[in-house]
Amino acid sequence: MKKFILRRLLLGIIVLLGVALLTFFLARVVPSDPAAKWAGPRATPEQIARATIELGLDKPLYVQFGKYLLDLLQGNLGYSLRTRRPITLELQESLPATIELVLISTIAAVFVGIPLGVISAKRKDQLIDHLSRLFSIGVVSLPTFWIGLILQLVFFRVLGLFPMGGQLSTEIKITMDIPKVTGFIMFDSLVTGNFRIFLDALWHIVLPGITIGMYPVGLVARMTRSALLEILNEDYITAARSYGLSERIVLWSYALKNSIGPTSTVVALSIGYTLVNTFLTESIFTWPGIGNYIASAVIGLDYPAIMGVTIFSAFSYVVLNLIADIIIALDPRVRV
Amino acid sequence: MRWLSDFIKTLQPTIREWRLSFYLLNRNWLQRVALIVIALLVLIAIFAPLISPYPSHAISATNPKDKLLPPSSRYLFGTDELGRDLFSRVIFGTRISLQTALIAVGLALLIGVPLGAIAGGLGGAADEIIMRITDIFLSFPPLLLAIAISAFLGPSLQNAMLAIAVSWWPWYTRIIRGQAVSIRERQFVRAARAIGTPTFRIIFSHILPNTMAPVIVQASMDIGGVILTIAALSFLGLGAQPPTPEWGLLISTSRTYFLNAWWYSTFPGIAIFVTVLVFNLIGDGVREVLDPRTRKF
Amino acid sequence: MKKLIHLIVVLLFVAALISACGGKPQEPAQPAEPQKPAEPAQQEKPAEAAKPQFAVYALNSEPLTSWDPAIEFSNGIHLHNNMYEQLVRYEPLEKKVKPLLAESYTVSEDGLTWTFKIRQGVKFQNGDPLTAEDVKYSIDRTMQIGAGASYIWSAVENITVKDPQTVEFKLSYQTPLDLVASTGYAAFIYSKKCVNENNEWIEEAKGCGTGPYMLKSAKWGDEVIVEKFADYWGGWADKHFSTVVFKKVAEPATRRQMIETGEATVAVELPYTDVDILKNNPNVAVSVDPSFQNLIGMFNTKKPPLDNVKVRQALAYAFPYQEVIDTVIGGYGRQSYGMVPYGLWGWSDKLPQYKTNIDKAKELLAEAGMADGGFKLLLTYTAGNEAEKSAAELYKAELAKLNIELEIRGMPWDSQWELAKSTDLAARQDIFVMYWWPDLPSPYSFLFSTFHSEEEPLFNLAYYSNPEFDSLIDQANQLTATDFAKAESMFVEAQKILLEDAASLFIYDRQDIWVTVGNLRGFKFNPAYPTVVFFHDLYLE
């Protein structure tokens, strides 16, 4: 048991090291000159030379990589070429908005996806299974960026029900003090009792939330279905049935409990997908999160910023998967 | 001509697997429809110049006097900001999407398959190193690595294909390796080893041909996901360049106009959706077919 | 929910309007209704009614890239010009330099000594009075850092403080220093207190400028909120905006919507296709102003086949000027006469224009020995710029008629620029499409950066090198302060050379479309400060 977790952790560290190496390699082999960018447009050769030293680009590659790793260990992702500010700080500023969006859609994925998967498995090969399968495969086949535009077209332009973008109305933002407890607007406004801000934030998150949430809903529904189907074929389920336990108890408490492992893995996985999908949708919804941040970084060729977001996302993905694995390992039923 | 018959012989397991999958898939009506749609899409891609009413609009011609017209009998899907027929452009987009997806998957196979065979065939340190490398690549959330690579390489359709291949190959390495490990200890491989056949020959002429079947089937079902990825890259400005009628690029350009021209975003999006959907439907079916636990015989 | 918010906004405006107009003490009538006191929104209303008006400026990219006014040479122009001020401001349409922080200035006979009288009673936002010391300090520091647009001061040899209200600039060569001092970048006067011992700007340093607005809060890459500086020397009236939000809204469609719903006060870079629809909307005001931005397509004059002047001329004849102006910018612009844009001195309709003429182009190609075309050209443009993209696509269609294949590549500005400066000469583009706008409102700025010979390419991305042209514009620049008419005619002459050499496509001088809420008053755009909105001049009616 301990050995398994230790091995998993060790592997995680190796993987993270590799991720760092890969991003470093990507950012260094590009034919671009970060020093020229750092020095700014119309910089003189002397300014560029100065910037080269400032950024440590005159040192051999392995020294640069060593420094890069040391910085990473201290949580320092380097400096943005455009703003010259620490990327860690910029990520901290834009993360809460994205996490809020990702959490909302993950919660939706769990509460819509799992029941959908269960129903599908229960009525396998019946019409409802086909429909729910079509739905869950359908939503993972939708281009996220497109569905965002279509939702804007329908719910903003035609129906006028929801705002086109932003996290809060400007009026609210200027005329009211936005409470700052954790940085998550919805949570903060709720705990401080600012219902107007909360409702405004909720009203704004609906369209981007649906857009981002579709993929994980489909993914979770499909995984729950196949995990359940597998478990329903197991001997102990047959045994439970033969004891005369009702089908409802068999399904919801025996089978579903045992599919928690695979389902939690897929939820962890879907958070990774969702995070990347924010890259495609945040700018459509003027959502001030890391998706918007990386979009401007890509446009401005801000390599350290792109690297920073990549490292950060890969890191959270690895950690999430690690957690999911450990949860499964801790589950006494899985222990061998 | 011996090489040809050899080649066909090596392909035989793959063809057998494909035929079996096809047979199993064909029993489900949803999958049957999906198969028909895929066949249609391939036909559309091949005969794009014949089907589209204004093939020149998909290449370089412009027609500014008809800009942003809604769908009509003349322009089935309406026109874009330079008066080009969107129907023709979406039709040609089918060709581009299928073509680039095939190439990207092909490249990924080219990287992934030999590495998987080496890992599985050699075992030991080589196996460990290759598999840890796949771990690293697979620890990026999907799409992220492709975005990062094409951002660094610079925007073009070729670079996007390369980026996808580089982020996709580890899946194939894993499948091949799994197969290779099980084959490595089989009788005929042992026999080859006993008579002193060099290891690499064993890997490439004995192990590899016998592991290809599932990976090829898997790869053909991945086309949908790859099409979606290419569209996403083009949407971010990291893929196809104007005036290429690539679907993701069409949607990206339409963003400026879509509030007045709903047709501009809608049709290319439906094209992506339908294409990815049918491939995913088949892929989902194949997974059940290939999975020994859910396979019905 | 939406209705509720609209109601609140309307009430807020009404309340603000009433308090602004009459200043009457009585409360607006609404709190009389006793039925629904439980609603939280209702309870907060009295507090809000007292809050003054605000404006929102919807920008297409991040509000700024550096807090340091000595360094910022990018988007921050919008913000810094509302927080900081220069010695003088240029009004290009009236061709006048107007006093700002300097009440007046004089220039010596030889054009090498400029003396500025500093305005009395100006305060920095931190309360300190503005003195000549501060002027010297700011410009010295800007020059010493040498980043951004600081090169505009390159003629300055030294700055001396004559007395607390007088500062003197000694130049090493003649240059119109009043124009330099009016520049929208790198000419700001700021307080010493915002700089730490390493000569670095203190992050988000507040109260460093003399301008009407001071920083309230900022979220990097997203939005900056500024509020009024009560002691601003220009004074305040009730009707002025007390708060201004600079907000990045990347999607043009969203920016348009914000104006239509009144969520934004001003928006930039709206698609030209939307303009006609917006003009019919009574809640929206559209004003069309000349801008100093022009679209050019620089030919690579060093790489075959464009090293042949005949081929370049042929390509200039092949460009669909009118079609591009009509389609891409909806007719809001005019075909360029040379490099200097309409409205700026040095522009002349006496200069020749290339008119679209495919036959002429074929003829010229034949003269160059390439009657059948058959070559491939690479055009680069800045990704995300719809106008550049569409213009390139229309051009491609024309070139196809000459059997020339145009490859269009949209790249982030930095990659586009990097490729143009690539040491691998063969990899460089053939046609470099970009918008150009002035650092200085002078034809020299337009001609020097783009076509003056350079050892290493910087912005002369035609790699054009012509000693005759160089000396002509250098002399004209030095004559500017002493013999304006002569200087202007020399700048026109220089452009004639460029046109004969077909160094570049000069496509159009665009007009800026300003889309604002319908009841905005006082709006006047100054093309010397592209995309800057001086919010202190504005109010809602």
Side-chain angles (χ1 to χ4, degrees):
Chain A
M1 182 57 214
K2 259 193 201 135
K3 231 169 111 190
F4 169 81
I5 294 180
L6 218 64
R7 189 181 141 79
R8 220 34 215 86
L9 276 175
L10 206 70
L11 261 179
I13 290 168
I14 292 174
V15 162
L16 287 177
L17 262 176
V19 167
L21 185 66
L22 194 65
T23 44
F24 178 81
F25 175 78
L26 274 176
R28 282 292 175 273
V29 289
V30 285
S32 112
D33 188 355
K37 185 136 201 280
W38 179 262
R42 308 188 190 193
T44 60
E46 295 84 70
Q47 285 170 356
I48 294 175
R50 209 164 61 197
T52 308
I53 294 167
E54 224 174 285
L55 296 175
L57 296 170
D58 51 336
K59 306 222 170 59
L61 268 185
Y62 65 89
V63 176
Q64 289 184 41
F65 181 64
K67 185 166 179 304
Y68 178 65
L69 273 186
L70 274 180
D71 283 348
L72 275 187
L73 278 180
Q74 294 157 12
N76 176 0
L77 290 166
Y79 288 84
S80 154
L81 290 181
R82 281 170 312 145
T83 64
R84 295 150 176 268
R85 299 170 76 231
I87 290 162
T88 317
L89 180 74
E90 301 203 320
L91 281 186
Q92 273 169 7
E93 288 169 354
S94 49
L95 254 182
T98 299
I99 291 180
E100 216 163 64
L101 198 55
V102 168
L103 276 184
I104 285 270
S105 58
T106 306
I107 291 169
V110 170
F111 282 93
V112 181
I114 291 182
L116 210 61
V118 173
I119 292 166
S120 208
K122 200 169 138 195
R123 306 235 183 281
K124 187 174 171 345
D125 289 331
Q126 294 173 21
L127 183 67
I128 192 147
D129 177 34
H130 287 310
L131 286 181
S132 107
R133 212 174 127 217
L134 194 62
F135 171 80
S136 52
I137 297 176
V139 291
V140 301
S141 309
L142 278 170
T144 323
F145 48 90
W146 177 67
I147 206 65
L149 294 179
I150 297 297
L151 289 178
Q152 283 183 333
L153 203 59
V154 175
F155 289 97
F156 169 77
R157 183 73 175 169
V158 179
L159 299 176
L161 283 178
F162 293 103
M164 196 162 170
Q167 205 182 4
L168 278 180
S169 306
T170 319
E171 295 90 338
I172 298 247
K173 215 173 340 188
I174 292 174
T175 52
M176 299 182 69
D177 285 324
I178 308 297
K180 275 220 171 72
V181 184
T182 55
F184 300 106
I185 291 179
M186 290 180 77
F187 180 80
D188 291 355
S189 56
L190 204 57
V191 295
T192 54
N194 271 306
F195 294 106
R196 237 189 98 195
I197 298 181
F198 177 75
L199 285 178
D200 190 58
L202 192 65
W203 182 51
H204 277 81
I205 209 170
V206 171
L207 292 190
I210 292 177
T211 307
I212 298 273
M214 288 205 173
Y215 198 99
V217 167
L219 206 62
V220 169
R222 280 168 82 186
M223 280 303 161
T224 310
R225 176 181 180 270
S226 61
L228 269 183
L229 283 181
E230 211 174 285
I231 289 164
L232 287 175
N233 283 333
E234 301 271 346
D235 295 341
Y236 65 87
I237 296 285
T238 321
R241 278 187 181 137
S242 63
Y243 289 144
L245 288 174
S246 84
E247 194 60 19
R248 215 167 74 225
I249 293 178
V250 169
L251 189 69
W252 290 95
S253 66
Y254 277 65
L256 195 60
K257 234 188 235 161
N258 287 299
S259 68
I260 282 175
T263 311
S264 63
T265 314
V266 88
V267 169
L269 190 86
S270 82
I271 291 178
Y273 277 85
T274 313
L275 196 64
V276 181
N277 274 340
T278 64
F279 296 3
L280 297 168
T281 42
E282 278 189 1
S283 79
I284 296 177
F285 287 106
T286 323
W287 198 261
I290 62 166
N292 220 334
Y293 180 72
I294 198 173
S296 350
V298 166
I299 291 167
L301 275 203
D302 194 342
Y303 295 123
I306 301 174
M307 264 166 86
V309 177
T310 308
I311 282 266
F312 168 79
S313 315
F315 185 84
S316 22
Y317 194 58
V318 169
V319 170
L320 279 170
N321 278 322
L322 202 68
I323 292 172
D325 278 0
I326 290 172
I327 289 175
I328 295 170
L330 289 177
D331 187 336
R333 286 161 302 203
V334 187
R335 243 186 243 169
V336 210
Chain B
M1 288 316 260
R2 225 194 105 210
W3 65 270
L4 191 67
S5 59
D6 271 4
F7 183 65
I8 289 172
K9 214 181 285 164
T10 49
L11 273 186
Q12 249 160 15
T14 308
I15 295 169
R16 208 180 311 127
E17 186 73 35
W18 256 2
R19 267 167 53 193
L20 179 64
S21 309
F22 184 79
Y23 168 72
L24 291 171
L25 287 172
N26 211 8
R27 298 191 313 179
N28 176 320
W29 65 270
L30 205 55
Q31 285 153 358
R32 199 161 353 156
V33 172
L35 281 173
I36 293 169
V37 175
I38 290 181
L40 273 177
L41 286 171
V42 171
L43 288 179
I44 289 174
I46 293 171
F47 296 108
L50 299 177
I51 300 167
S52 58
Y54 304 93
S56 67
H57 287 188
I59 301 156
S60 67
T62 54
N63 180 27
K65 63 180 190 336
D66 283 349
K67 66 176 177 179
L68 295 172
L69 293 180
S72 63
S73 56
R74 217 164 127 222
Y75 302 114
L76 276 181
F77 289 178
T79 62
D80 70 2
E81 80 280 11
L82 295 177
R84 291 171 295 206
D85 175 37
L86 275 170
F87 181 65
S88 305
R89 288 175 70 73
V90 170
I91 295 277
F92 269 86
T94 318
R95 178 184 269 201
I96 292 164
S97 294
L98 291 182
Q99 215 172 5
T100 45
L102 273 178
I103 297 173
V105 169
L107 279 175
L109 283 172
L110 223 55
I111 309 171
V113 167
L115 281 176
I118 291 169
L122 283 183
D127 186 19
E128 190 67 23
I129 289 170
I130 291 174
M131 291 329 283
R132 291 300 77 79
I133 291 176
T134 66
D135 279 345
I136 291 167
F137 277 82
L138 292 180
S139 58
F140 287 89
L143 189 65
L144 177 67
L145 193 57
I147 290 178
I149 294 172
S150 36
F152 287 120
L153 289 180
S156 81
L157 205 50
Q158 283 96 312
N159 286 346
M161 288 189 276
L162 203 67
I164 290 171
V166 169
S167 52
W168 215 280
W169 64 269
W171 296 108
Y172 303 138
T173 303
R174 284 202 166 177
I175 297 175
I176 290 278
R177 182 215 173 242
Q179 296 275 318
V181 165
S182 66
I183 287 175
R184 195 170 57 193
E185 298 308 323
R186 294 257 288 275
Q187 214 64 62
F188 69 99
V189 178
R190 284 193 182 171
R193 212 176 288 140
I195 59 170
T197 319
T199 316
F200 271 87
R201 242 203 102 158
I202 293 178
I203 291 175
F204 285 101
S205 56
H206 295 277
I207 296 181
L208 196 59
N210 289 293
T211 55
M212 285 299 281
V215 89
I216 299 251
V217 174
Q218 176 63 45
S220 43
M221 300 314 147
D222 279 351
I223 301 277
V226 172
I227 287 177
L228 202 56
T229 310
I230 291 173
L233 290 177
S234 294
F235 178 82
L236 288 174
L238 295 169
Q241 292 297 313
T244 316
E246 200 279 331
W247 293 334
L249 181 62
L250 290 183
I251 295 177
S252 180
T253 316
S254 79
R255 273 186 291 176
T256 309
Y257 311 99
F258 81 104
L259 288 179
N260 301 322
W262 59 268
W263 57 91
Y264 198 168
S265 315
T266 307
F267 292 112
I270 291 176
I272 300 180
F273 172 60
V274 169
T275 311
V276 178
L277 178 68
V278 291
F279 276 104
N280 278 351
L281 275 175
I282 295 297
D284 197 59
V286 166
R287 219 153 289 134
E288 258 173 49
V289 169
L290 287 183
D291 189 338
R293 283 169 303 187
T294 41
R295 199 166 188 157
K296 283 171 199 145
F297 56 88
Chain C
M1 191 61 210
K2 193 178 177 185
K3 271 199 189 125
L4 184 71
I5 287 174
H6 278 188
L7 183 78
I8 291 161
V9 174
V10 169
L11 288 177
L12 209 141
F13 279 155
V14 168
L17 218 67
I18 289 170
S19 63
C21 298
K24 285 174 203 146
Q26 70 255 61
E27 285 284 312
Q30 27 61 354
E33 275 178 55
Q35 286 106 309
K36 25 180 183 170
E39 263 188 64
Q42 206 78 19
Q43 287 171 344
E44 278 151 5
K45 225 167 264 164
E48 273 176 30
K51 297 251 181 172
Q53 307 211 24
F54 62 89
V56 176
Y57 188 6
L59 302 161
N60 56 337
S61 57
E62 57 263 301
L64 82 168
T65 62
S66 170
W67 286 111
D68 190 339
I71 289 175
E72 178 66 347
F73 190 27
S74 184
N75 301 352
I77 185 172
H78 322 289
L79 187 70
H80 286 333
N81 276 289
N82 280 290
M83 290 165 64
Y84 302 92
E85 289 170 309
Q86 300 89 338
L87 289 171
V88 288
R89 180 166 297 161
Y90 184 53
E91 294 289 349
L93 300 179
E94 304 157 39
K95 303 193 178 175
K96 261 192 211 146
V97 177
K98 292 196 169 161
L100 201 59
L101 289 180
E103 271 172 345
S104 63
Y105 63 92
T106 53
V107 55
S108 67
E109 201 97 328
D110 60 3
L112 292 177
T113 310
W114 294 69
T115 314
F116 290 84
K117 269 269 174 233
I118 308 302
R119 187 181 295 275
Q120 299 265 0
V122 175
K123 273 188 186 159
F124 281 111
Q125 290 157 0
N126 61 17
D128 296 346
L130 169 79
T131 64
E133 269 314 324
D134 297 302
V135 175
K136 176 180 162 55
Y137 169 78
S138 303
I139 307 300
D140 272 344
R141 176 173 174 274
T142 301
M143 282 166 32
Q144 182 241 322
I145 291 176
S150 60
Y151 64 90
I152 58 172
W153 297 101
S154 56
V156 174
E157 205 163 68
N158 62 57
I159 306 173
T160 12
V161 173
K162 289 285 167 190
D163 64 60
Q165 302 304 129
T166 312
V167 63
E168 184 186 278
F169 292 75
K170 276 252 184 270
L171 307 188
S172 52
Y173 57 86
Q174 286 188 355
T175 202
L177 196 72
D178 48 352
L179 290 186
V180 171
S182 76
T183 311
Y185 310 96
F188 296 113
I189 309 303
Y190 44 81
S191 160
K192 238 180 243 204
K193 291 193 174 153
C194 297
V195 176
N196 68 15
E197 57 278 10
N198 297 327
N199 202 15
E200 285 163 352
W201 197 257
I202 299 165
E203 172 97 331
E204 294 185 27
K206 297 182 183 185
C208 305
T210 60
Y213 291 99
M214 53 201 284
L215 186 68
K216 184 178 175 208
S217 68
K219 181 156 186 278
W220 259 89
D222 182 39
E223 67 178 9
V224 176
I225 301 177
V226 295
E227 60 189 353
K228 85 175 200 187
F229 162 43
D231 279 344
Y232 178 54
W233 62 269
W236 287 96
D238 286 340
K239 62 186 184 182
H240 284 131
F241 291 114
S242 59
T243 307
V244 181
V245 183
F246 295 82
K247 178 150 186 63
K248 171 185 156 184
V249 181
E251 299 292 320
T254 311
R255 290 200 292 279
R256 173 188 149 181
Q257 283 309 317
M258 290 175 73
I259 289 285
E260 285 186 322
T261 57
E263 211 181 315
T265 319
V266 189
V268 285
E269 293 284 338
L270 288 181
Y272 286 83
T273 44
D274 287 356
V275 171
D276 292 329
I277 300 164
L278 289 171
K279 273 186 167 169
N280 295 325
N281 183 337
N283 300 326
V284 175
V286 176
S287 73
V288 179
D289 300 281
S291 82
F292 286 168
Q293 289 194 38
N294 51 5
L295 185 67
I296 56 175
M298 293 172 127
F299 290 133
N300 186 336
T301 58
K302 290 282 179 289
K303 184 173 150 190
L306 294 189
D307 56 346
N308 184 335
V309 64
K310 296 268 184 216
V311 180
R312 294 202 299 270
Q313 286 170 345
L315 286 182
Y317 276 114
F319 194 88
Y321 299 95
Q322 203 50 49
E323 196 176 66
V324 165
I325 292 168
D326 291 342
T327 313
V328 173
I329 52 169
Y332 293 105
R334 56 187 88 218
Q335 189 186 341
S336 306
Y337 287 94
M339 182 64 195
V340 177
Y342 174 75
L344 185 64
W345 61 283
W347 175 88
S348 165
D349 56 7
K350 303 282 179 300
L351 283 165
Q353 273 180 331
Y354 287 93
K355 293 283 181 192
T356 317
N357 186 340
I358 290 292
D359 294 328
K360 182 91 182 149
K362 278 187 180 148
E363 230 169 81
L364 281 160
L365 276 181
E367 280 176 44
M370 293 184 209
D372 306 327
F375 52 88
K376 207 178 154 175
L377 297 173
L378 172 66
L379 178 150
T380 59
Y381 74 95
T382 312
N385 190 314
E386 272 299 299
E388 292 179 9
K389 189 214 81 183
S390 298
E393 286 181 286
L394 290 169
Y395 193 25
K396 181 184 171 87
E398 291 304 306
L399 290 181
K401 295 178 189 164
L402 296 172
N403 192 25
I404 297 169
E405 193 192 335
L406 186 68
E407 183 196 340
I408 301 171
R409 201 182 291 168
M411 309 169 87
W413 162 254
D414 291 281
S415 338
Q416 186 194 6
W417 196 29
E418 227 158 67
L419 183 73
K421 294 188 287 183
S422 159
T423 44
D424 176 8
L425 300 188
R428 289 178 179 176
Q429 81 293 335
D430 298 295
I431 304 172
F432 191 98
V433 171
M434 67 168 160
Y435 271 110
W436 188 259
W437 65 89
D439 324 321
L440 285 178
S442 133
Y444 190 56
S445 155
F446 271 85
L447 295 169
F448 178 83
S449 305
T450 44
F451 295 105
H452 196 284
S453 310
E454 288 172 342
E455 274 184 28
E456 291 294 326
L458 191 58
F459 283 103
N460 179 351
L461 304 174
Y463 320 108
Y464 183 71
S465 169
N466 182 341
E468 190 195 345
F469 172 85
D470 293 351
S471 74
L472 205 54
I473 60 168
D474 288 343
Q475 285 173 29
N477 182 47
Q478 299 201 4
L479 279 176
T480 302
T482 48
D483 188 350
F484 185 82
K486 182 84 195 296
E488 182 161 16
S489 75
M490 285 168 83
F491 280 128
V492 172
E493 200 52 41
Q495 292 177 78
K496 206 170 191 170
I497 299 176
L498 286 182
L499 286 162
E500 277 158 14
D501 277 346
S504 169
L505 290 168
F506 299 108
I507 303 171
Y508 57 71
D509 303 343
R510 115 178 165 170
Q511 289 173 310
D512 268 337
I513 309 286
W514 285 93
V515 181
T516 65
V517 288
N519 54 346
L520 188 72
R521 298 291 173 266
F523 187 80
K524 189 169 138 262
F525 173 62
N526 183 332
Y529 306 88
T531 70
V532 174
V533 176
F534 296 100
F535 279 96
H536 183 255
D537 300 342
L538 307 183
Y539 57 95
L540 291 176
E541 196 176 79

